[in-house]
Every structure is written in C-alpha cells, then in structure tokens.
C-alpha cells in the first residue's frame, strides 16, 4: 500500500463561471476552489443526479479528484463518476476516467473522498453525483490533483485520532456543562522509519512543498491509478495541515535514515461539524 | 426556538459573528464569524480568532458603564487589510459593529439562534500583525450620549426664523445685545415643573403694528410641532420676576404724568394677562402673553422657540380696568400702562416644556423625561432605549414623583448628554445601564408587582464557581448608610432658592427609639445623594420618605457561572442557593439583584455579581401576590362543608364562620378530591351572605353538586377583591399605605364567572 500527497489545487485559479452545474446552481461557486473547505457551496435540492462540468481553461494533467467536506454521507447510496471530453457540451471524445464509485459513508471517512485514475490531460472534466431520491448536496472543495506517491508507507503503529474543541463550565462541586465549538478534526500521525536516502528525499519533498506546514496537504491514504470503481480504502483522504515547522532526520545506520514524526490535522469544516 | 430556551441546555454549540456596517446599519458591508456557514443567506467569513471579555455593569454616577474589548481577526491572506490601509481609513473610522452569540443543537447545526451582544465602535485603531489584525472596540451607546443635540442660540432663531419677533429690534438695541453676547447664548431645553430662567431678553421693540411694543423673553426651545389650545395653561404654570406696574394718568392740565398705581411682585400672575377698556367694557388688551415661534431648521432638527412677550402700549385717552380684578381705574384719562421688569431675572415654571411625548404634569416621571431626551434631543432614537425596563421603573414611581431638567440653560446642565443624564439619574435614584442588546436600560430597586411575579432565574451550587461574598465598603456601590445629605446645589434658581446642601436626614429610628434598629455597630454612615433635579414640590421633604433609599445592610456575591446567565440583564432579580452542604448561607433560594455580568467568549462562561435583595420577599410579601394572605379559613381539623343539588345553602360541620371573618363577596372553594376534574364539587362559589356560625348562602347560578347532602372534606374560603387585606387589616404583612396588587375571581368586571358555563367556572380558585 502506497500513500500519495498533493499540495495545491490544480483548479484553484479558475473562475467561478468555470463551474457549470447541470441544475444551474451558481451561488457561491467560488467556494469550490477557494482553498478552504469550511465555506460550502450548495447545489440545492436535486432528484437523483446532478453533474458539474469544469473548464480548466487548458488541458491539464489530472490523476485524482477529491471532493471535500460534503454532506453525501447523509444521502442514500451516493455515487460519483468522473469523465472528460474535448468540449464543454461533452459530445466529443467523452471518456470515463473513473467509473461510478459508491462513496464510503462510514465515519470518519464519510465527508471527504478522492477518486484516483490514470493521469489524463484534458480541459473539460465532468463530475456526476447521483443518489436515491431528492437530496440537497453541499460541497466544501473540489480538489484537482496529480498526487505524488511515496514508495515507503508509514510504520506499523502509526496513529489516528479525533480532536474536538469545546469549552466547559465546572462548578465548585464538580457539576459540568459543556459547549461544543468544533470537531472532530482528524489527526493522523505520519511516522516513517528506516528510509533510504531516496525515500527520505520523497518525504522531504512533500514537507518542503507545504512550506513547513503553511500550505495544506492533501494526504491520500491509499494510492491507485485505475479507472475502475474505487474501493472504500482507496477513497480515503485527509486535507489538513502539518503541525511541525521542522522536519529532521538522523542516520542510525549506513544509508538508513530516521525522520522525525509529522502530524497532520484536518482543516475546519465550518459550523456544527 | 428562542435563545433563552437553548442556553439552558447542555452541550449546545456556540458560535459568534460580527456584522460591520459603514452606514449605521442601513447595509452590512462585512460579515465575520468564528465558523463558516453560520448563515444560510449571508456569507460570513470565518475570521474571528478571539474575542475579549464583554462586560455589562452599573457605572459610577448612575450612568451606564462603557465596555470595551479586543477582537482578533485572521488576516493570514490579507483579506481584511481594509482595516489598516491608508486608502480605506474612512471605512474603518465609519465602522459600526454588532456582535452576536449563536447557539445550536449539534445535531442540527443549521438552526442557530442568535443573541445580540451590543453595538460597538472601533476605539483603538486596528493593529496589523503578521497574520492577524487586532482591534479594540467600545460600546457605541456611550458615543451616542457624548453630546446633547445642539440647541439654537438666540442669534440662530433671529437669523433662521423669518417671523422671529426679534427682527423688529431697533438697530441700537441689537447692537447692544451683540456687544453683550446676548445673541450667542443657547436657548435651553427644559422638562418638568421647575423654575427656568429666561434668557437675556431683547429690548423693547415692535411686535406687530406700530402701536404695540413688547419685550421678548426667549424661554425654551422644542422640536414638538403640535400645539393645542390649552398649551399655555399646561405649559406655563408660573412666571416670576421683579415686576413694577405703572399706570399713569393723562396730562390734561399739561402737568407731568402722575402715578395712579404702582405694584410690585414676584409673579406675573399677580397681574392678569389682559386689561379691559372700560369705555366699552369689552376690548381686551394684552399685558403679557406666551407664544410659540414659527418653525426653523437648525442642526438637522426643526425647532420652535417659546417666548414670553410683555407688552407696553401707548394708551392715551383710554381707560382701563384690570381684567378679573375688582380694581377699576375709572379715571378717564389714563395715558399709559407699563410694566417694568428688573432684568434679567425672569423665571417661568411649567410642565412639559420641551417635551415631545409628555403633555401633562402626571407624565413627568424620570422615565418619561429620559425617553423624551434620548428620543428627540440626542443623536439616538427610541430604538436606543430598552422600553421594557424603562416602563418597569416608571411603574415604580409614585404619581407625585415629578422630575425636572434644564439643559443648556443658565445654571442648568451643560456639557455632555452623559453628564446630564448622570445628574438626573442620581437625583432620582435610578441607574442607566447598557443592555446586552446595546440599548439603554433603566434600573431601580423596584418594589413593583411586575418584577416580583416574574419567574426568577435560579442558580445553585451546580452553576457556581469561584464564589465571593462581601459587604460593600463605604462609598462602594450598595454600601450601607443611615444618614443622608442632599446635594441640592443649583445656581439657576429664583431668589430665595435652594441651599446647596440639605441635611442630615437620619434614618428612621437612628435618633430616638430604635424602630427599626438601623445601625451597624452603632456607627453613623453618611451618604450624600444628588438632588439637583428634584422638583420644588418634593425636595423639601425628608428623603427617607420620598427617595428610593433604604437602610438595609446588603451584601454582594460574585461568582462565575454558565452561559445561562446571558438570560439576565443588569437590575434583574435572581434566586441564589448556596448551601455549602452545611445549610447556609443561602440554604433556601434567596433573592439578589444583578449588578454585573461579564461574558468570557474564550471560555463561554459568565462572571456575575448581585446585591442581596431578599427583603423584597420578606418585607413586601404582598408584592409576590401571596394568595395565602387571602385565606379566611380552610377545612383543617376535619371541618366539612355540605352541599346539596339546587340548594344555595352550605352548612359546615363545626367552627364559626363569623368569627373567622367570612363576609359576603368572599369565595368558597370546594376541593372535593373525589371529582378533581369536574365542576361539581371542585370549584369556586361566591358567598352571598353568612347566615350563622356554620351556615352560609351562595349566589352561584349553578347549583349542581352531584347529590344531596354531600360533605366536602377539603375546602377553603378566600377574600374577594372587595375585602383584600390592607395595612389596616393585616399590618403584619402590609406596610403602611400598601395594598395587594391584582384582582381575582371578580364576578363583575369583564363578565368572568358570570354564568354556569364551564368556560366561566373556576377550578380551585
């Protein structure tokens, strides 16, 4: 199992008008690529299916698309299909890059998904969302990526946790009352060991790309590059920020390196998550 | 879903948002919040990183205390550089902000209930740091109150009112007035039955027509546009000056005029306002009159000036009598009547004066005047007032609590409106405070029915942390005192006016019989009360009788609690239970009055303090509408009441109804446990007469009791509104002069209990 990563949405520079929803939804389209997933776009109530055609402005090589901070976990049987074409009307050279994939609805992986496929260089991309019945989908970010895979996985025993922000009033007799502020934030430790020099540089390349954690990192838990429907494990993704502003390594044997541990904490999702 | 319903629930989600307007909230230009997606309609930028503690407390000098706190906004992307950029400094300076706290059910976060936490201005200019912008904001209400609206000067009136009578002023007289600066003085605002000193008058000039001359005394100004026929009578109660009236004879023999009458007095009412030509006995000529000027615009408002015109007429060959007077001057050749006035000491006394909303003397409570000032003579509007609390205080003032206030008058209050209101509040023992909403609230130690029958906020150990309790020290708010001095100083009162300080006035019992005992370790604890704006009718009285003062020793509790306390405003009452598991000091719920509330958004807690006020429950129990005081007698001791279908007679197994004081009009309340949900023997019945020690007659039209000779084991007889207990009948529970509020079971008013239909019957009183 290989991990992969990306920093920077390849669709970050396109205008809001580049997102064409099949039901005409247009309010707050800019939220789909504004670099934060807590501001959400609402497509409105739609029966069964809705798609969005994305004009990247020029052919762009893409090998994964992540849909982040959506509410499809509350829809019935949600699926996502990714296709490309040579024209915005999707009449010429239509290619299904990723077959219809049933989205994993199991917490904590139920709000963010990534679909990976073999890299394709196209200008027009179409994401088709479908579900049973009527549903009002909201989306925080659609992230176009060409993830870089790591040749070494995290060590056995790495950890994940969930972090909440709360305030609590505690009386002098011990009675407590809580206030919910936000959460859960997904927290994943990125622990590696016994890397070769090239593996070490892969890791440091990723770290450098985040500028010491100042730019958010899209962490792909299980890399793949196939057009067939993605299994649940291959949909897992965390968009977060590395907490460490320093990454170091030590050489404890000839040509074997031990990097320091990194911790990735997911970004905020807005009110009520 | 209301905020107060949600705030008592555990585990609620908490968010904050900030609306920023550049045009006084006609539009919202910027919306910031702690979280994204807090509003389905408007997009809020989740930039709020931190908010400082937001306080509400009573201020010094009875004036609302300003509150300020820091706000830190995320600016990592430079998205709010407008707060610090030179090019957008105007926007920053024009910014007004409303802060809100929102609560939501974590299972349904899209439904957020909001509570506004005030309206603020930027005080310390924003500071841009590496990734944030920090600013300090202060409540905006203090800004509103900094300046009273500027009133026109005499020159403004002269120049802006085309019909101003001063325009007929002779050039030399005008020059003389300008040299004295008399045209530059403000025309005052005035409320209430207090003496108001007239401004420096113009000299004699033509009012209308060559034969009529008048001396004009501008008295006060108002923005009130309506005027009814009785205005003069309602407004102008009295005018005082040093008058000398001269009536001269003609000079038929070529001699100099001769005094025929010379009178002097302090009141213009010593002279009738008109004289009558005795040659026809009908023609009235005016000596003095009260006028309202034409309207003119100044300072963004439309003004009117009320002035007194004193006329001098050449009356050659006329003869006069004083209208309404027995004095008739039948000399056929009276040549002139003149009234000399010792300038500039002319005073008027009236009632509504500048008021817009007050038209009668009875309306002149401090609440009325505060409402009028803020609404019409400040930069604010009625929307800046918490009308609920103001009405609550008003309800507590007796009808005789007339208030007065003079602003921009000679010797009257000047400078900032805040100072004016402070002096005014001090004179009438109330506090102005800032509500959570950001409006001006009014609080007094209310002994009114409304405040005592509300459902009190209750707090106990499970909501208390870091409790502290003190007896306020001398000069601190809420400190004990038993000797009062009145700071009565005013420089603008008529001759023989007030002394600057009155007193001491000792608490009842301090001197002589210790009833009630009022000393603390036998110490005299003086307190000086501002009394500048008490009316002449009341300031002479002992303040222990008419001021909202007391001799109680009160302690202050301060503690931290949950967000639930956001339900409270300053001046509200709450019940506190603090047992410490040892039975005290407040083992039973004890009443306190809120004095301070401070929200800490970082921890979502509220620190609050309250002053002990449980005497409202012990000394004034009738205020709590305690119906047990209405009970004449009940069924204790096995005493049964027997009723029979179709019979108005009720017999009792024992006892003495007469001795119990039962009277016609009282109500017999049957509480037969065997049919608690029916109206047969679980109902109230009006007593028509007491026939004997064990029998009475009822007047209820429905005599269906479900049987013959049915003995009801549980019953009670209560007084009706006709015989409510008073301080005479129940001196233990009722203070002198007090009575019970409210009415119940009134079978006359509004038809309640008027017939036998179920809707009109009464279950268990």
């Amino acid at each position: 199992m290989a991990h992969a990563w990306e920093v920077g949405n390849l669709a970050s520079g396109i205008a809001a008008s580049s997102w064409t929803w099949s039901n005409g939804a247009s309010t707050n389209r800019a939220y789909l690529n504004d670099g934060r997933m807590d501001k959400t776009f609402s497509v409105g109530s739609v029966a069964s299916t809705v798609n969005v055609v994305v004009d990247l402005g020029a052919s762009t090589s893409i090998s994964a698309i992540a849909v982040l901070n959506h509410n499809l976990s509350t829809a019935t049987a949600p699926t996502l299909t990714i296709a490309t074409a040579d024209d915005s009307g999707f009449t010429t050279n239509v290619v299904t890059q990723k077959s219809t994939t049933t989205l994993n609805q199991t917490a904590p992986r139920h709000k963010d998904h990534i679909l990976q496929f073999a890299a394709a260089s196209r200008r027009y991309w179409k994401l088709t969302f479908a579900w049973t019945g009527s549903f009002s989908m909201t989306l925080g970010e659609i992230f176009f990526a060409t993830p870089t895979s790591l040749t070494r996985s995290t060590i056995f025993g790495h950890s994940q946790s969930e972090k909440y922000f709360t305030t609590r009033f505690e009386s002098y007799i011990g009675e407590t009352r809580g206030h919910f502020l936000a959460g859960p934030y997904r927290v994943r430790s990125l622990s590696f060991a016994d890397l070769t020099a090239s593996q070490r540089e892969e890791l440091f390349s990723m770290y450098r790309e985040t500028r010491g954690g100042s730019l958010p990192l899209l962490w792909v838990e299980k890399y793949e590059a196939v057009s067939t429907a993605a299994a649940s494990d291959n949909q897992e993704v965390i968009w977060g920020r590395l907490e460490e502003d320093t990454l170091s390594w030590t050489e404890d044997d000839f040509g074997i390196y031990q990097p320091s541990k990194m911790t990735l904490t997911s970004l905020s999702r807005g009110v009520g998550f | 879903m209301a905020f107060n319903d949600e705030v008592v629930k555990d585990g609620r989600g908490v968010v904050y948002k900030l609306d920023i307007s550049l045009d006084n909230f006609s539009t919202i230009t910027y919306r910031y919040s702690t979280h994204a997606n807090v509003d389905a309609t408007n997009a809020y930028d989740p930039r709020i990183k931190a908010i400082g503690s937001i306080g509400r407390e009573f201020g010094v000098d009875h004036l609302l205390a300003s509150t300020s706190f820091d706000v830190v906004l995320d600016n990592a992307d430079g998205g709010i550089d407008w707060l610090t950029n030179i090019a957008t400094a105007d926007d920053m300076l024009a910014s007004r902000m409303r802060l809100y706290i929102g609560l939501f059910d974590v299972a349904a976060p899209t439904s957020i209930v909001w509570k506004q936490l005030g309206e603020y201005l930027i005080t310390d200019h924003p500071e841009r740091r590496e990734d944030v912008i920090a600013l300090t904001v202060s409540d905006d209400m203090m800004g509103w109150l900094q300046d009273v609206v500027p009133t026109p000067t005499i020159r403004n009136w002269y120049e802006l009112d085309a019909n101003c009578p001063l325009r007929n002023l002779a050039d030399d007289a005008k020059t003389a007035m300008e040299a004295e600066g008399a045209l530059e003085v403000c025309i005052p605002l005035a409320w209430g039955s207090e003496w108001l000193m007239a401004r420096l008058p113009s000299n004699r000039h033509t009012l209308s027509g060559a034969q009529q001359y008048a001396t004009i005394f501008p008295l006060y100004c108002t923005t009130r546009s309506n005027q009814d026929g009785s205005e003069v009578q309602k407004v102008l109660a009295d005018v005082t000056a040093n008058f000398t009236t001269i009536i001269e004879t003609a000079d038929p023999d070529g001699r100099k005029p001769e005094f025929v009458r010379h009178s002097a007095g302090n009141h213009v009412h010593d002279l009738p306002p008109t004289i009558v030509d005795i040659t026809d006995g009908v023609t009235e000529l005016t000596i003095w009159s009260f006028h309202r000027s034409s309207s003119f615009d100044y300072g963004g408002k439309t003004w009117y000036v009320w002035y007194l015109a004193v006329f001098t007429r050449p009356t050659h060959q006329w003869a006069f009598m004083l209208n309404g007077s027995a004095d008739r001057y039948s000399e056929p050749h009276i040549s002139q009547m003149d009234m000399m006035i010792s300038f500039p000491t002319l005073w008027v006394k009236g009632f509504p004066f500048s008021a817009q909303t007050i038209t009668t003397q009875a309306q002149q409570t401090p609440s009325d005047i505060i409402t009028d000032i803020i609404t019409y003579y400040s930069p604010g509007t009625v929307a800046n007032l918490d009308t609920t609390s103001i009405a609550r205080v008003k309800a507590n003032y007796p009808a005789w609590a007339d208030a007065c206030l003079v602003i921009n008058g000679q010797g009257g209050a000047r400078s900032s409106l805040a100072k004016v209101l402070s002096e005014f509040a001090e004179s009438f023992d109330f506090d102005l405070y800032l509500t959570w909403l950001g409006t001006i609230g009014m609080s007094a130690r209310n002994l009114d029915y409304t405040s005592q029958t509300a459902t009190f906020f209750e707090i106990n150990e499970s909501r208390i942390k870091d409790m502290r309790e003190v007896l306020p020290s001398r000069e601190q708010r809420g400190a004990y005192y038993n000797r009062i001095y009145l700071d009565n100083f005013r420089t603008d009162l008529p001759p023989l006016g007030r002394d600057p300080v009155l007193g001491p006035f000792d608490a009842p019992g301090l001197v002589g019989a210790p009833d009630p005992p009022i000393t603390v370790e036998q110490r005299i604890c003086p307190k000086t009360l501002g009394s500048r704006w008490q009316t002449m009718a009341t300031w002479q009285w002992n303040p222990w009788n008419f001021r909202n003062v007391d001799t109680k020793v009160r302690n202050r509790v301060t503690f931290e609690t949950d967000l639930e306390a956001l339900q409270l405003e300053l001046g509200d009452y709450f019940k506190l239970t603090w047992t410490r598991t040892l039975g005290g000091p407040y083992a039973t719920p004890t009443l306190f009055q809120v004095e301070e509330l401070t929200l800490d958004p970082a921890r979502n807690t509220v620190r609050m303090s309250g002053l002990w006020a449980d005497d409202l429950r012990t000394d004034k129990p009738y205020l709590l509408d305690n119906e047990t005081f209405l009970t004449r007698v009940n069924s204790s001791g096995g005493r049964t009441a027997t009723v029979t279908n179709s019979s108005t007679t009720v017999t009792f197994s024992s006892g003495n109804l007469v001795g119990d004081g039962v009277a016609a009009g009282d109500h017999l309340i049957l509480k037969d446990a065997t049919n608690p949900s029916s109206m047969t023997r679980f109902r109230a019945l009006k007593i028509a007469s007491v026939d004997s020690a064990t029998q009475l007659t009822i007047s209820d039209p429905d005599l269906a009791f479900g049987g013959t000779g049915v003995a009801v084991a549980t019953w009670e007889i209560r007084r009706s509104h006709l015989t409510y207990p008073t301080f005479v009948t129940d001196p233990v529970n009722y203070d002198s002069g007090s009575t019970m509020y409210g009415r119940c079971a009134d079978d006359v008013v509004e038809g309640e209990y008027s017939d036998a239909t179920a809707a009109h019957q009464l279950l268990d009183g």
Side-chain angles (χ1 to χ4, degrees):
Chain A
M1 179 188 71
H3 307 302
W5 59 272
E6 176 67 285
V7 174
N9 187 347
L10 294 173
S12 62
I14 65 173
S17 57
S18 299
W19 305 86
T20 304
W21 288 87
S22 59
N23 69 339
S26 61
T27 303
N28 294 331
R29 283 180 294 180
Y31 289 171
L32 291 170
N33 61 331
D34 63 348
R36 54 193 308 167
M37 63 180 182
D38 55 351
K39 294 180 178 180
T40 55
F41 161 83
S42 176
V43 76
S45 181
V46 175
S48 302
T49 183
V50 66
N51 67 62
V52 57
V53 174
V54 187
D55 178 2
L56 293 179
S59 288
T60 307
S61 179
I62 302 293
S63 61
I65 295 177
V67 288
L68 304 168
N69 194 28
H70 58 72
N71 64 345
L72 289 168
S73 63
T74 59
T76 303
T79 64
L80 173 60
T81 309
I82 297 173
T84 57
D86 291 347
D87 63 314
S88 60
F90 268 74
T91 57
T92 306
N93 194 22
V94 178
V95 176
T96 298
Q97 301 294 348
K98 192 68 173 178
S99 298
T100 298
T101 297
T102 299
L103 300 179
N104 180 14
Q105 292 183 286
T106 304
R109 306 172 181 179
H110 57 309
K111 294 182 177 179
D112 310 309
H113 297 84
I114 189 166
L115 299 188
Q116 305 169 77
F117 39 85
S121 187
R122 294 290 189 275
R123 174 174 175 176
Y124 298 101
W125 294 76
K126 179 158 74 175
L127 283 68
T128 301
F129 298 89
W131 46 75
T132 300
S134 293
F135 184 69
S136 295
M137 180 178 69
T138 60
L139 276 168
E141 191 85 353
I142 298 181
F143 198 114
F144 285 70
T146 53
T148 302
S149 62
L150 299 173
T151 55
R152 191 67 179 260
S153 295
T154 52
I155 61 173
F156 178 79
H158 75 273
S159 65
Q160 286 200 30
S161 58
E162 295 183 9
K163 178 179 178 182
Y164 286 84
F165 284 81
T166 64
T167 55
R168 180 177 299 181
F169 171 78
E170 181 176 306
S171 77
Y172 80 104
I173 62 167
E175 168 72 3
T176 58
R177 281 172 60 83
H179 308 112
F180 170 80
L181 302 181
Y185 286 84
R186 293 186 68 187
V187 182
R188 192 202 194 285
S189 68
L190 302 180
S191 302
F192 295 85
D194 302 334
L195 302 182
T196 64
S198 62
Q199 291 168 342
R200 182 197 68 197
E201 285 311 302
E202 288 177 1
L203 205 59
F204 270 72
S205 293
M206 179 186 79
Y207 183 71
R208 289 187 200 106
E209 200 70 17
T210 68
R211 305 296 193 274
S214 60
L215 296 175
L217 174 73
L218 188 77
W219 177 259
V220 183
E221 194 63 35
K222 193 171 183 180
Y223 176 74
E224 69 174 5
V226 297
S227 62
T228 53
S232 290
D233 286 349
N234 293 90
Q235 299 172 26
E236 183 175 3
V237 65
I238 296 176
W239 196 26
R241 203 176 295 276
L242 294 175
E243 294 181 1
E244 293 76 13
D245 56 11
T246 301
L247 181 65
S248 61
W249 54 261
T250 58
E251 183 181 25
D252 62 355
D253 199 353
F254 180 76
I256 300 299
Y257 301 91
Q258 310 299 337
S260 58
K261 181 180 138 184
M262 291 178 284
T263 303
L264 179 68
T265 302
S266 64
L267 301 182
S268 171
R269 299 180 185 279
V271 68
F273 83 97
Chain B
M1 188 168 66
F3 184 89
N4 286 354
D5 295 333
E6 292 300 303
V7 76
V8 299
K9 297 174 182 174
D10 194 13
R12 281 295 181 259
V14 183
V15 294
Y16 293 86
K17 69 176 183 180
L18 195 63
D19 286 351
I20 301 179
S21 173
L22 309 183
D23 55 9
N24 196 21
F25 293 102
S26 294
T27 57
I28 307 296
T29 306
Y30 300 102
R31 302 174 193 270
Y32 301 141
S33 58
T34 51
H35 300 61
N37 305 326
V38 298
D39 188 300
T41 305
N42 301 298
Y44 278 79
D45 210 357
R47 294 185 178 275
I48 298 176
K49 292 192 70 173
I51 302 172
S53 294
I54 306 163
R56 294 288 186 270
E57 62 180 315
F58 289 126
V60 296
D61 297 334
H62 299 260
L63 194 62
L64 53 162
S66 180
T67 184
S68 66
F69 55 90
D70 295 335
V71 178
V72 180
L73 301 173
D74 172 21
N75 191 38
D77 59 354
I80 54 170
D81 278 350
W82 69 271
L83 280 166
T84 54
N85 283 346
I86 295 172
T88 52
D90 285 347
D91 286 354
M92 183 273 290
L93 293 171
S95 295
R96 309 175 80 86
M97 306 180 178
R98 287 176 179 162
L99 179 67
Y100 299 82
I101 181 175
L103 300 175
F104 60 89
D105 182 348
V106 294
T110 54
S111 298
I112 303 176
V113 289
W114 297 99
K115 180 184 180 70
Q116 186 175 328
L117 297 176
E119 191 170 310
Y120 302 94
L121 284 175
I122 295 174
T123 46
D124 289 348
H125 289 176
E127 179 180 85
R128 179 160 54 196
R129 302 170 188 165
E130 287 87 349
D131 56 356
V132 299
I133 285 182
L135 56 151
T136 303
V137 299
S138 297
D139 69 88
D140 197 17
M141 191 48 62
M142 290 301 289
W144 282 122
L145 298 184
Q146 280 307 302
D147 299 304
V148 67
V149 63
T151 56
T153 63
I154 294 176
R155 180 185 293 281
N156 294 142
W157 181 33
Y158 180 95
E159 294 180 346
L160 299 174
D161 178 6
N163 300 314
C164 176
L166 299 183
R167 288 184 175 236
N168 296 319
L169 194 63
D171 288 344
D172 58 342
K174 180 184 176 188
T175 301
M177 291 182 68
E178 287 182 319
E180 296 171 353
L183 293 183
E184 317 305 333
V185 296
C186 291
I187 302 172
L189 295 166
W191 289 262
S193 55
E194 182 54 291
W195 293 106
L196 170 65
M197 186 179 186
R199 309 309 302 174
L200 290 174
S202 70
N203 208 335
R204 181 180 303 180
H205 59 283
T206 302
L207 181 64
S208 60
Q211 298 302 308
Q212 297 183 37
Y213 296 90
T215 300
I216 304 299
F217 292 88
L219 298 177
Y220 63 89
C221 54
T222 179
T223 59
R224 184 179 181 189
S225 60
N226 61 317
Q227 178 186 8
D228 62 45
S230 60
E231 193 92 29
V232 173
Q233 284 69 36
K234 287 194 296 186
V235 173
L236 194 64
D238 202 355
V239 179
T240 186
N242 292 325
F243 295 114
T244 301
T245 306
I246 305 169
I247 299 178
E248 299 174 336
T249 61
D251 187 15
D253 302 325
R255 293 177 298 174
K256 292 181 179 180
E258 179 182 348
F259 290 122
V260 297
R261 183 174 176 83
H262 173 203
S263 67
N266 284 332
H267 300 280
V268 76
H269 286 298
D270 290 347
L271 287 176
T274 59
I275 55 178
V276 176
D277 183 348
I278 63 172
T279 57
D280 62 10
V282 175
T283 304
E284 288 196 355
L285 301 172
T286 301
I287 296 177
W288 60 269
S289 61
F290 190 54
H291 295 270
R292 189 182 73 158
S293 75
S294 303
S295 66
F296 61 98
D297 294 338
Y298 172 74
K301 292 183 181 296
T302 299
W303 294 95
Y304 303 85
V305 174
W306 282 89
Y307 61 95
L308 190 70
V310 179
F311 293 83
T312 305
R313 296 163 184 274
T315 54
H316 184 64
Q317 294 183 344
W318 286 8
F320 299 94
M321 64 180 180
L322 296 179
N323 191 16
S325 167
D327 295 335
R328 287 172 177 266
Y329 297 93
S330 58
E331 292 86 349
H333 300 296
I334 292 176
S335 64
Q336 181 174 326
M337 203 267 339
D338 201 355
M339 185 160 65
M340 308 296 290
I341 298 175
S342 299
F343 298 143
T345 52
L346 185 143
W347 307 81
V348 297
K349 188 176 184 180
F351 301 125
F353 280 144
S354 303
Q356 282 251 24
T357 55
I358 307 166
T359 56
T360 68
Q361 183 178 10
Q363 291 177 298
Q364 298 176 135
T365 67
S367 298
D368 294 313
I369 293 177
I370 288 289
T371 301
D372 212 78
I373 291 175
I374 300 293
T375 305
Y376 296 104
Y377 299 102
S378 82
T381 69
V382 70
N384 298 119
L385 297 171
D386 177 43
T387 54
T388 301
S389 65
I390 291 175
R392 191 169 66 186
V393 173
K394 178 178 179 177
N396 191 39
Y397 273 94
W400 45 258
D402 299 340
C404 69
L405 186 62
V406 179
I407 300 175
N408 286 343
Q410 184 165 334
R414 292 170 189 267
S415 67
S416 73
L417 178 58
K419 180 170 173 52
V420 170
L421 298 180
S422 171
E423 289 179 352
F424 189 59
E426 187 180 19
S427 294
F428 290 93
D429 309 301
F430 64 85
D431 289 284
L432 295 177
Y433 66 89
L434 197 64
T435 66
W436 281 120
L437 182 65
T439 56
I440 298 175
M442 196 172 184
S443 173
R445 188 169 171 272
N446 283 307
L447 304 180
D448 62 284
Y449 178 80
T450 303
S451 64
Q452 300 311 305
T453 55
T455 301
F456 292 111
F457 177 83
E458 293 197 49
I459 193 162
N460 58 33
E461 273 99 339
S462 70
R463 300 287 184 271
I464 294 172
K465 183 179 183 180
D466 192 19
M467 168 66 86
R468 302 172 190 207
E469 182 176 25
V470 298
L471 288 174
S473 302
R474 289 273 297 275
E475 304 304 324
Q476 286 185 340
R477 184 180 172 81
Y480 166 82
Y481 55 91
N482 53 22
R483 170 170 288 176
I484 290 175
Y485 292 91
L486 294 180
D487 178 359
N488 204 41
F489 184 74
R490 281 184 65 183
T491 61
D492 60 332
L493 289 172
L496 306 178
R498 302 177 177 180
D499 291 320
V501 177
L502 301 179
F505 301 96
D506 288 333
L510 181 61
V511 178
D515 180 25
I518 46 75
T519 61
V520 174
E521 297 177 352
Q522 304 305 310
R523 292 178 61 183
I524 300 298
C525 300
K527 181 182 179 70
T528 300
L529 301 178
S531 192
R532 190 176 184 189
W533 297 109
Q534 290 285 350
T535 63
M536 292 289 284
T538 56
W539 68 267
Q540 297 163 308
W541 301 356
N542 186 331
W544 293 103
N545 294 333
F546 75 92
R547 296 286 293 258
N548 194 5
V549 294
D550 72 304
T551 61
K552 292 288 183 185
V553 178
R554 304 179 184 280
N555 50 358
R556 176 180 290 113
V557 292
T558 304
F559 54 89
E560 185 176 290
T561 188
D562 187 50
L563 288 178
E564 289 176 69
L566 289 181
Q567 299 173 84
L568 294 168
E569 297 279 2
L570 299 182
D572 283 352
Y573 293 97
F574 66 96
K575 288 180 181 176
L576 172 70
T577 306
W578 185 26
T579 68
R580 297 183 299 183
T581 71
L582 299 172
Y586 305 115
T588 57
T590 304
L591 213 57
F592 285 80
Q593 189 174 26
V594 178
E595 295 231 307
E596 180 183 359
L597 295 161
T598 302
L599 167 66
D600 180 2
R603 300 190 301 131
N604 289 315
T605 59
V606 177
R607 185 149 194 89
M608 61 181 288
S609 67
L611 199 66
W612 182 83
D614 208 48
D615 53 326
L616 295 186
R617 287 148 51 81
T618 56
D619 291 0
K620 316 282 183 186
Y622 55 90
L623 290 170
L624 299 174
D625 194 24
N626 189 338
E627 293 186 0
T628 62
F629 295 150
L630 294 176
T631 302
R632 298 270 200 198
V633 60
N634 58 33
S635 54
S636 61
R639 201 171 170 188
T640 61
T642 299
V643 292
T644 296
N645 270 346
S646 303
S647 171
T648 59
T649 300
V650 182
T651 58
F652 294 81
S653 59
S654 61
N656 185 344
L657 296 173
V658 178
D660 292 331
V662 178
D666 287 358
H667 296 91
L668 168 63
I669 301 170
L670 303 179
K671 303 178 181 180
D672 188 345
T674 63
N675 65 346
S677 60
S678 78
M679 289 289 184
T680 53
R681 295 186 304 278
F682 209 101
R683 55 192 284 197
L685 303 160
K686 184 180 177 183
I687 298 173
S689 63
V690 178
D691 306 327
S692 70
T694 57
Q695 180 177 308
L696 54 77
T697 299
I698 56 175
S699 61
D700 196 272
D702 176 18
L703 300 174
F705 294 111
T708 300
V710 181
V712 178
T714 305
W715 54 269
E716 179 183 346
I717 295 176
R718 292 184 190 169
R719 296 170 182 263
S720 75
H721 72 286
L722 301 173
T723 54
Y724 272 172
T726 68
F727 65 97
V728 175
T729 61
D730 190 358
V732 174
N733 291 313
Y734 292 81
D735 284 355
S736 178
S738 63
T739 186
M740 174 170 261
Y741 284 86
R743 292 189 167 188
C744 65
D746 183 342
D747 63 349
V748 176
V749 179
E750 297 177 352
E752 296 112 330
Y753 202 56
S754 61
D755 57 44
T757 60
H760 291 154
Q761 291 181 334
L762 193 62
L763 267 177
D764 191 15

